[in-house]
Amino acid sequence: MKSLIKYILFFAFLTSFSSCRKDLGNYDYTTIDSLFIKEIEEAYRIKTAGNPEVFPKIEFSSGKKVDLEAYDHTWLAYRFGLNVEPTLLSKQPELNENLRLDIGTYTVYYTLKEKLTNISWTKKFKIEITSGYNGGWMILSEDNGKSKIDFFEYVHATGTYPNVHRNFQEKIKDLEGKQMTLLGKPKFLTAWANQTEATGSGIKYFMYVGTDENTEKINITDGFIWKDQYAFKFETSNPALFETIDALRPIESRDGYAIKGNDVYIRLATYQWNFGTPINRFADGTYFKVSPFIAVNTGSSFATACLMYDITSKRFVRNGDFSQTAESPLSYDEGNSAFNPNNVGMDLVWMNQTAAFGGQAYAILTKDNRFYLARMTNNSVFSARYWEEITSLPDIAKASRFEVDQLYGYLQYVVGGKIYQYDPSDKTSKLMKDYGSKEVTTFKYLRSTYVSYTTVINPKYEQTYGKRFLPATTGLIVGTYDPSQPQNSGKVDIWQVPQFNGAFKEFLSFDGFGKVADVAEAEAPFGW
């Protein structure tokens, strides 16, 4: 056995030795012509629906000309951080077209495959899709009978709004390049974080734009884009009825109320309720008309409360407790309530909600040329708290617009170009601002559901959220214009309202448009 093993090892040695000898045969050697993909950057950054303009240069190491038609070209985009199928961007030699990609970062692979041999080469790079805008203030105005949006864009580095985009509606397009069209005269702007079938999963931040002919939405989250399918009517149970509405009142993400004529509708995501049947009806089906002025408790879907006024029976009614109908009679204790909300017997002039005092509804009512202020707790519970006659307030009978301060509960109203303020606590009134011959066309607080007051006053966010969103959470927004110069005299002032009836202080001011219809802040905090 040992002799056999020695023989095998000796034979292996001889074979190895002979294989190491130099091969003296004659052969032809061919150098492989390497292919190189050049002039593609490591990363590109473009706006939504933008064109990255990638023009690769293909070269052989030998310098031989490349026949691009001899290759298949594929551009595939993979969404960074998401386990989803890639998106085919193009099959052309260049990536020179508008990309229909959502906001985000993508890894793109450009692959050339030789048709004859199936040999392929690949180049990897990144594309970041951005909105191109940082958010800011939108002003909806009337320009020669048409609706127009001016957009004042926020710059984080300076905390100012130097970038002005006139006729901004013309820049709002879908990913195919089709432009949003605003029909008719302007009515309202409202920002709302919502989720609809048109945008799929996830909550998007929308700017709702209402005119007297239609109600459209701008998708801020995905880059200030628009689609036909975003139209408000498609988030209702009866699209034919909701080409346009009068107002929208969000209470929380995906939850809110819509007003159309003398009807109010509810959207509640928990129960998958879309806007449809009016809530101004009782459980037994009895329908009644309500005033378009409502008071809504914002910021909590767990305490939905919409206070309405029955204009026929002249009484307050309420929607709450996750219901699609109204509640009546409301809580009333003859010994403790300031008035009977179920038998008011007056006409409602105006109503709205303040965050002050834990959440109160303010209502102005009139009868026999006398005026009254009602204040009611309107959150998880209802209580008729205060009632007083205010007929003696300066020119109250001539007031055209009303508001209630969100921090201190001041009643504010407009007479001509004058703004008056009444403090219900000490029963004093004061002229706060006189615009002279100018007409006040917008008078409002935003009642933000996105950024809370406690967030913006937190010292940790003083130079970020606080600096940007304090005007949006507490500022009194006043839009004015000169009727003799309707095309360019429009101006928006956003006032800080100090405690103890101190003089207004300017937060922000914008100008250069027509008759102001409404103002809103594009609140999505890009860049933090």
Side-chain angles (χ1 to χ4, degrees), residues 68-73 112-119:
L68 293 177
E69 293 187 358
Y71 297 83
D72 289 325
H73 305 264
L112 295 93
K113 186 173 72 173
E114 192 174 31
K115 298 176 182 178
L116 182 63
T117 64
N118 283 333
I119 297 175

Side-chain angles (χ1 to χ4, degrees), residues 390-407:
I390 56 172
T391 307
S392 62
L393 293 184
D395 288 330
I396 190 70
K398 299 178 182 178
S400 58
R401 299 175 185 274
F402 295 87
E403 255 298 0
V404 54
D405 171 67
Q406 296 300 292
L407 290 180

Side-chain angles (χ1 to χ4, degrees), residues 137-142 147-152 185-191 207-211 246-249 401 403 441-446 477-480 491-492 510 513-521:
W137 288 85
M138 289 187 183
I139 289 87
L140 178 67
S141 63
E142 182 178 334
S147 297
K148 173 188 174 185
I149 297 176
D150 290 287
F151 179 52
F152 294 79
K185 294 184 178 181
K187 292 175 69 173
F188 71 88
L189 281 177
T190 301
M207 183 64 69
Y208 287 71
V209 187
T211 73
D246 298 325
L248 191 67
R249 295 293 300 275
R401 299 175 185 274
E403 255 298 0
T441 58
T442 301
F443 192 65
K444 65 181 289 188
Y445 289 92
L446 286 184
I477 301 171
V478 182
T480 60
K491 184 180 181 183
V492 171
F510 308 110
F513 23 79
K515 183 179 180 180
V516 181
D518 207 352
V519 181
E521 214 277 338

Side-chain angles (χ1 to χ4, degrees), residues 437-499:
S437 61
K438 287 190 174 182
E439 180 182 338
V440 177
T441 58
T442 301
F443 192 65
K444 65 181 289 188
Y445 289 92
L446 286 184
R447 294 173 173 83
S448 171
T449 62
Y450 190 84
V451 181
S452 69
Y453 177 64
T454 55
T455 298
V456 300
I457 64 173
N458 187 327
K460 179 180 178 181
Y461 304 120
E462 182 180 359
Q463 296 303 314
T464 54
Y465 286 103
K467 192 173 185 178
R468 178 175 174 185
F469 294 120
L470 188 60
T473 54
T474 66
L476 173 63
I477 301 171
V478 182
T480 60
Y481 91 119
D482 184 346
S484 67
Q485 304 176 49
Q487 304 307 316
N488 56 16
S489 62
K491 184 180 181 183
V492 171
D493 295 314
I494 305 176
W495 297 107
Q496 181 180 12
V497 181
Q499 197 174 10

Side-chain angles (χ1 to χ4, degrees), residues 6 25 57 79 100 105 125 141 145 194 203 270 289 303 316 327 367 372 443 468 511:
K6 289 180 180 179
K57 185 176 182 180
R79 184 69 182 270
R100 296 186 293 273
T105 301
F125 61 99
S141 63
N194 200 0
I203 295 174
T270 303
K289 291 183 178 181
F316 289 100
E327 171 193 355
K367 184 178 182 180
Y372 303 86
F443 192 65
R468 178 175 174 185
D511 58 24

